[in-house]
Amino acid sequence: MENRQPMCAKCPFPKQERQCVREDGKCRDDCPTVRRAPLIAASLERALADERRKFVLEAALQEEAGYADSAPPRRPVATRLEETARFARRMGYTRLGLAFCMGLRKEAAIVNRYLEAWGFTVVSVACKVGRVPKGALAAPGAEPAPARPDETMCNPIMQAMLMNEQRVDFNILVGLCVGHDSLFFKTADAPCTVLIAKDRLLAHNPVGAICQYDAYYRCLAEEAAAAGTAAPAE
């Protein structure tokens, strides 16, 4: 079938009526569940490959264990902090990497204490590791240049390299900045999960602005519209 661009976020149908949830469900014309059968088969083949099979299975079982009931309405029974530790135990991991932002050093200390109480060995690395000045990022006279060239930069690549060196089984990110988290993911050898997503304005609760997008944060829609008007055409 035609490989049309998926637009699942625009699907107008209720969850329980969607094609991806039930065989006789409804869908848009671009629905990948209907149009991409070969890719579905390829993804399952990859999921069941020897090196991924256990991870995929345990992730599915962990998701099920997050609820008290098997039928709707399902009650959640575990925080993400608990689920992170439980998943690591399910996988048989013993060495965990804790990559954190210095702005969340107190929270990282609590997470470290919690994971050690579970019996894990925790390798923790702060974002400012290496004390490399931001000025080292810019070529002489080049633009843009850091506004504070003497300030120590965040160093997610070194964070990940240290985790690789220490041969951790699983990396847990606490508050790394947008972009810095991406660099960590690209550099890390072991699987990664995000425990806390950085949001300076909302006390690290980015979903708050999304939940209020049509109310107190409707200014975001106006800003997005203005940015879209200024964006270059493809």
Side-chain angles (χ1 to χ4, degrees):
M1 286 191 176
E2 179 187 356
N3 296 338
R4 298 185 61 181
Q5 174 179 320
M7 295 187 178
C8 295
K10 293 185 177 182
C11 183
F13 305 108
K15 174 186 174 182
Q16 295 304 323
E17 295 180 13
R18 295 189 181 194
Q19 175 70 218
C20 57
V21 175
R22 51 188 296 174
E23 187 175 358
D24 60 347
K26 304 172 184 178
C27 66
R28 289 167 49 99
D29 289 342
D30 51 54
C31 178
T33 299
V34 173
R35 292 185 168 275
R36 304 301 296 275
L39 196 60
I40 294 171
S43 67
L44 181 59
E45 181 180 0
R46 182 173 294 191
L48 296 179
D50 290 342
E51 70 275 14
R52 288 192 180 92
R53 182 187 294 266
K54 179 175 175 59
F55 198 99
V56 171
L57 174 61
E58 295 299 345
L61 294 175
Q62 180 64 52
E63 186 271 336
E64 287 184 346
Y67 298 94
D69 314 289
S70 59
R74 305 172 72 189
R75 292 179 294 132
V77 295
T79 64
R80 189 176 181 90
L81 179 62
E82 292 172 289
E83 288 198 341
T84 300
R86 291 174 183 176
F87 180 72
R89 177 63 57 81
R90 283 176 175 273
M91 289 297 297
Y93 296 150
T94 58
R95 292 177 65 80
L96 304 182
L98 181 60
F100 67 94
C101 167
M102 286 286 277
L104 285 89
R105 58 193 179 279
K106 293 181 181 179
E107 292 82 355
I110 293 172
V111 174
N112 190 97
R113 191 170 73 206
Y114 175 78
L115 295 174
E116 287 185 339
W118 270 76
F120 296 112
T121 297
V122 182
V123 179
S124 57
V125 184
C127 65
K128 299 295 186 181
V129 62
R131 206 178 69 250
V132 179
K134 289 182 178 178
L137 297 174
E143 294 291 343
R148 296 182 297 276
D150 295 330
E151 182 180 39
T152 300
M153 75 174 192
C154 295
N155 200 344
I157 293 177
M158 184 173 177
Q159 285 179 292
M161 291 175 69
L162 283 168
M163 298 305 185
N164 295 345
E165 177 188 271
Q166 292 297 311
R167 302 180 68 82
V168 302
D169 301 311
F170 194 47
N171 288 300
I172 301 167
L173 275 62
V174 170
L176 297 195
C177 301
V178 173
H180 293 153
D181 52 6
S182 303
L183 290 168
F184 187 97
F185 297 147
K186 287 181 69 67
T187 308
D189 291 337
C192 305
T193 192
V194 177
L195 179 59
I196 302 175
K198 167 70 68 66
D199 192 316
R200 297 175 179 85
L201 184 61
L202 297 180
H204 313 302
N205 177 35
V207 75
I210 299 168
C211 291
Q212 290 292 311
Y213 190 77
D214 293 320
Y216 292 106
Y217 274 82
R218 56 185 177 274
C219 58
L220 297 180
E222 298 171 2
E223 293 172 0
T229 301
E234 291 186 0

